[in-house]
Amino acid sequence: IQVKGRQEPVNPYELVGSREEEGTGGRERTNLVGRREELSLLHQCLEAATSGRPQLVNVVGEAGIGKSRLVCEFAHYYQTYGVGVHMKGRGLSYQQETSYALVGSLVGQYLGITPGTSFHDIGEEARNATETYWPDDAGRRAALLAHLLGAEVFHPEVTLLSPQQKRVAAFLVLNELITAIGRRYTIMISIEDL
């Protein structure tokens, strides 16, 4: 197509979805080069975490130096060898003013929610996750998790809550969910683009 400011026509591309794996630029994974020391440190932290000593790793640096690629490589190892549960979220710049966007991306990824998922399906996925840990209270907890994703799922107790009460209750349920998962598995939580 012809684009203003360009002499030659430009070939357009169709956007078909987001990248499956962050940190690869949409390309096939290749070997990570020159990050042996950083990966070794991440593996030491994982070893400590699987021994019951929680770890916090903050990967910081200038844009383009490979932070996402390093995390992607470690997450690939983590998932390939079945070490535990990986929950990931992204703080996208265009969502800075959106309530719960970062938390919603974390919860949504864990539940397997993709853009365009109906409120009903979000509620079902949330219910499936909460039934594992709280079969007698799964409906209320699912409605509160769904709230973090912007989905209103009916539950009589949740409907009666004020917005502030709902927010507090939703974050308590998220905290309890992460704690419950952590009792069974090692959890890796990665948050990008803060």
Side-chain angles (χ1 to χ4, degrees):
I1 62 171
Q2 194 63 44
V3 177
K4 184 177 178 181
R6 299 284 304 255
Q7 294 289 335
E8 300 294 318
V10 175
N11 290 326
Y13 293 91
E14 179 183 2
L15 179 63
V16 294
S18 63
R19 288 183 282 195
E20 288 296 314
E21 193 167 8
E22 294 301 324
T24 62
R27 298 177 299 274
E28 186 176 319
R29 280 177 29 84
T30 58
N31 289 333
L32 185 65
V33 178
R35 296 289 186 180
R36 183 174 297 151
E37 190 175 317
E38 292 88 346
L39 273 176
S40 175
L41 179 61
L42 290 173
H43 285 284
Q44 289 171 23
C45 290
L46 174 61
E47 197 172 298
T50 56
S51 299
R53 296 186 324 256
Q55 303 291 302
L56 173 67
V57 177
N58 192 6
V59 180
V60 182
E62 296 294 321
I65 65 166
K67 300 177 299 293
S68 293
R69 180 65 176 91
L70 176 65
V71 171
C72 175
E73 184 70 22
F74 183 68
H76 178 73
Y77 168 84
Y78 188 85
Q79 293 166 323
T80 300
Y81 295 100
V83 177
V85 174
H86 181 203
M87 299 174 78
K88 58 185 174 182
R90 291 194 73 188
L92 300 172
S93 61
Y94 62 85
Q95 293 179 324
Q96 288 179 350
E97 302 300 319
T98 305
S99 298
Y100 316 134
L102 178 60
V103 172
S105 74
L106 187 75
V107 172
Q109 179 274 329
Y110 174 71
L111 297 178
I113 304 298
T114 57
T117 302
S118 71
F119 284 3
H120 176 267
D121 289 345
I122 289 172
E124 288 299 310
E125 293 300 330
R127 187 173 186 85
N128 291 340
T130 56
E131 276 182 342
T132 302
Y133 301 102
W134 308 282
D136 297 336
D137 192 26
R140 182 184 69 83
R141 291 171 187 264
L144 290 165
L145 281 180
H147 175 70
L148 294 175
L149 292 163
E152 294 306 318
V153 175
F154 177 78
H155 186 277
E157 292 177 39
V158 174
T159 303
L160 297 173
L161 298 176
S162 71
Q164 294 81 9
Q165 291 171 321
K166 195 180 287 186
R167 181 183 70 235
V168 169
F171 278 104
L172 284 172
V173 166
L174 176 59
N175 182 52
E176 291 168 351
L177 178 63
I178 291 171
T179 302
I181 295 167
R183 285 190 181 113
R184 293 185 183 187
Y185 309 100
T186 301
I187 303 175
M188 175 180 163
I189 299 175
S190 61
I191 301 172
E192 291 196 54
D193 301 327
L194 286 178

